[in-house]
Amino acid sequence: MSILSRLALVAGMTAMLSSTALAAGLTVGFSQIGSESGWRAAETSVTKMEAEKRGIDLKFADAQQKQENQIKAIRGFIAQGVDAILVAPVVATGWDAVLGEAKDAKIPVILLDRGVDAAEDLYLTSVASDQVEEGRVAGRFLVDSVKDKDCKVVELQGTVGSTPAINRKKGFEEAIAGKANISIVRSQTGDFTRAKGKEVMEGFIKAESGGKDICAVYAHNDDMAVGAIQAIKDAGLKPGSDILVVSIDAVPDIFSAMAAGEANATVELTPNMAGPAFDALEAYLKDGKAPEKFIITESKLYTPADNPQGEYEARKGLGY
Ligand code: AHR
């Protein structure tokens, strides 16, 4: 081995050791929304695994979908003097006071997977997808699929006031704008859950001549789509052909539905928000360099042409 490659190896090992050593001493609080969807469960598992891998002591708090519980948890983390706080904010508004308290205590806050309507200097960085783009990707898929055919769409929105619900709606509407043959005829929240997705879809089907007038369902996440698929089947219709099913997340169950011909497209949202978040935090604590304000994850479209059975096999058991 040449001297240069030896030096490179030593430098690499030193960098690895110092970042592991740095991470190893950290205590990080994580205020999670809850476990409303398969995607959310996977994000929780991945965050715990990433923390363990890096020797980070992760304090986990499940807010059971309530912002007040998240605020309480964040105040608890501040009182404990944690080194940093991760928060997946259930809704966009109402964060100024508690984020200000974290800032006053000099505790960096990192937002995971959802945004907030608050001054950008109240958090270190935000790791999330471009949610408007996710909606556009889903909408463009539908535009390409139906071509000039008339298409009445029903929409299952995510949690009211959350950034994915707001932005995924916006992006989808942008993609179908100008297409006179495609219109959203009904839109209601299913709160990102399978049970609510099914219940709301049942109402849509009843209201639209037993479902015969519906061409597609656009769900802001896969869990609601899976619930909608059940409602479509219960109504004696075929999901995937009588009613197209388009959603977001790329969880194993939607690939299973796709393999059975019952779902048409999903837009991937990686559950690994913690990896980039911890990388940014460690770099910041090491040399004080602030990371990019927005770390954007990819939004890849998957359709039945993308080996859904293989995707199901590859993803099941990953914490979903
Ligand atoms: O914020 C991300 C969204 O929240 C996911 O798409 C959804 O499944 C989750 O509950």
Side-chain angles (χ1 to χ4, degrees):
M1 189 188 279
S2 74
I3 294 207
L4 271 181
S5 19
R6 248 184 250 198
L7 280 175
L9 186 70
V10 171
M13 282 173 66
T14 313
M16 244 169 65
L17 284 173
S18 59
S19 102
T20 311
L22 181 69
L26 294 181
T27 299
V28 175
F30 176 25
S31 168
Q32 177 60 293
I33 293 170
S35 51
E36 72 281 4
S37 65
W39 184 89
R40 180 76 45 206
E43 187 195 45
T44 296
S45 310
V46 172
T47 306
K48 288 179 176 172
M49 270 162 41
E50 276 292 325
E52 201 182 325
K53 198 171 85 188
R54 294 163 193 252
I56 292 173
D57 177 14
L58 190 77
K59 309 272 179 214
F60 180 77
D62 179 334
Q64 317 257 332
Q65 314 297 318
K66 291 200 172 78
Q67 184 181 36
E68 67 205 67
N69 291 345
Q70 291 204 285
I71 292 174
K72 217 181 280 168
I74 294 170
R75 291 204 166 117
F77 294 145
I78 296 171
Q80 288 170 54
V82 296
D83 297 299
I85 295 171
L86 305 180
V87 54
V90 60
V91 290
T93 55
W95 297 100
D96 302 70
V98 73
L99 293 185
E101 290 163 35
K103 189 177 179 202
D104 291 346
K106 301 200 178 359
I107 298 175
V109 171
I110 300 184
L111 307 180
L112 293 191
D113 74 84
R114 295 187 185 181
V116 293
D117 286 343
E120 287 182 10
D121 66 345
L122 291 178
Y123 52 93
L124 179 67
T125 183
S126 154
V127 183
S129 54
D130 178 342
Q131 296 159 348
V132 177
E133 180 60 12
E134 289 171 332
R136 284 193 208 107
V137 172
R140 286 197 289 259
F141 170 82
L142 190 70
V143 167
D144 293 344
S145 304
V146 302
K147 302 194 169 56
D148 292 332
K149 199 185 114 190
D150 280 339
C151 185
K152 285 186 179 176
V153 181
V154 295
E155 179 183 34
L156 291 166
Q157 295 187 38
T159 301
V160 174
S162 69
T163 55
I166 297 163
N167 295 329
R168 288 171 182 173
K169 177 167 189 51
K170 183 170 184 271
F172 187 86
E173 284 173 353
E174 272 178 32
I176 63 167
K179 294 277 160 195
N181 57 317
I182 305 178
S183 57
I184 299 174
V185 292
R186 292 184 188 270
S187 182
Q188 207 177 307
T189 182
D191 215 8
F192 282 129
T193 71
R194 210 170 272 215
K196 261 293 191 64
K198 177 171 181 280
E199 185 190 314
V200 176
M201 189 66 192
E202 283 165 356
F204 288 162
I205 290 172
K206 223 178 258 168
E208 295 292 331
S209 320
K212 286 195 298 294
D213 292 346
I214 302 172
C215 144
V217 54
Y218 165 49
H220 291 188
N221 81 346
D222 288 344
D223 277 73
M224 291 190 294
V226 171
I229 287 170
Q230 192 53 52
I232 296 168
K233 291 207 269 194
D234 292 349
L237 295 167
K238 287 201 184 83
S241 45
D242 291 335
I243 299 181
L244 302 179
V245 179
V246 180
S247 54
I248 294 166
D249 274 359
V251 304
D253 284 355
I254 206 71
F255 285 111
S256 178
M258 221 182 254
E262 296 178 346
N264 306 83
T266 187
V267 184
E268 184 174 38
L269 175 66
T270 175
N272 185 12
M273 302 279 156
F278 288 143
D279 286 347
L281 177 67
E282 285 164 16
Y284 172 69
L285 295 177
K286 195 168 157 216
D287 56 22
K289 194 172 160 276
E292 298 275 316
K293 199 71 208 181
F294 297 96
I295 299 172
I296 310 286
T297 62
E298 234 196 302
S299 302
K300 185 174 179 297
L301 177 74
Y302 283 85
T303 71
D306 298 305
N307 183 16
Q309 188 58 38
E311 288 299 331
Y312 170 78
E313 299 294 340
R315 285 157 204 261
K316 70 166 191 212
L318 289 181
Y320 286 99

